Amino acid sequence: MKDGKCQYFQKAEKVRMARGFKGLFKNIENKYAQHEIREDLTAFFKSKGTYYRYRDGERWLNPEQQQMIANMMQKHGVNDAPVFDEYVESYDFTKVCADAPTPVTDSPNP
């Protein structure tokens, strides 16, 4: 706590979250670009399972993730903006302060 303010406080603001991107590759005719973008997305999300959870809309994409997808597409020669299945105004709970202390628990690890 510094000057009565918590250094880890983040203001609650609504942002435009995206749900799903099943149609992302529909207008991309270059099959090699499709493959490379899909590989980049899988690496970005760290696993195929997580990739599919985002693709299917089970997890929402925050604005930074949406921009990252647009950047990946441009990297592979696709200049069209990514098309997401749905947009939702919501609070972004994905931002975590890297400097925040790790919570301490009294229970031992199993």
Side-chain angles (χ1 to χ4, degrees), residues 20-25 34-61 69 72:
F21 52 89
K22 287 185 179 179
L24 187 68
F25 301 107
Q34 287 182 15
H35 171 76
E36 291 298 308
I37 293 167
R38 191 174 287 113
E39 290 292 316
D40 284 356
L41 286 170
T42 302
F44 175 71
F45 292 125
K46 307 281 192 247
S47 74
K48 285 185 180 181
T50 304
Y51 163 81
Y52 286 113
R53 285 182 191 95
Y54 278 101
R55 186 201 70 176
D56 295 343
E58 293 176 29
R59 294 189 180 178
W60 297 3
L61 296 155
I69 291 173
M72 285 179 195

Side-chain angles (χ1 to χ4, degrees), residues 1-11 96-101:
M1 183 92 56
K2 186 176 180 180
D3 297 328
K5 296 180 182 179
C6 177
Q7 63 182 344
Y8 304 111
F9 174 79
Q10 291 189 7
K11 191 174 181 180
V96 178
C97 181
D99 298 329

Side-chain angles (χ1 to χ4, degrees), residues 63-81:
E64 290 82 11
Q65 291 168 317
Q66 295 170 47
Q67 185 59 51
M68 180 63 77
I69 291 173
N71 294 346
M72 285 179 195
M73 291 173 65
Q74 287 181 344
K75 172 183 161 187
H76 296 289
V78 180
N79 294 319
D80 296 335

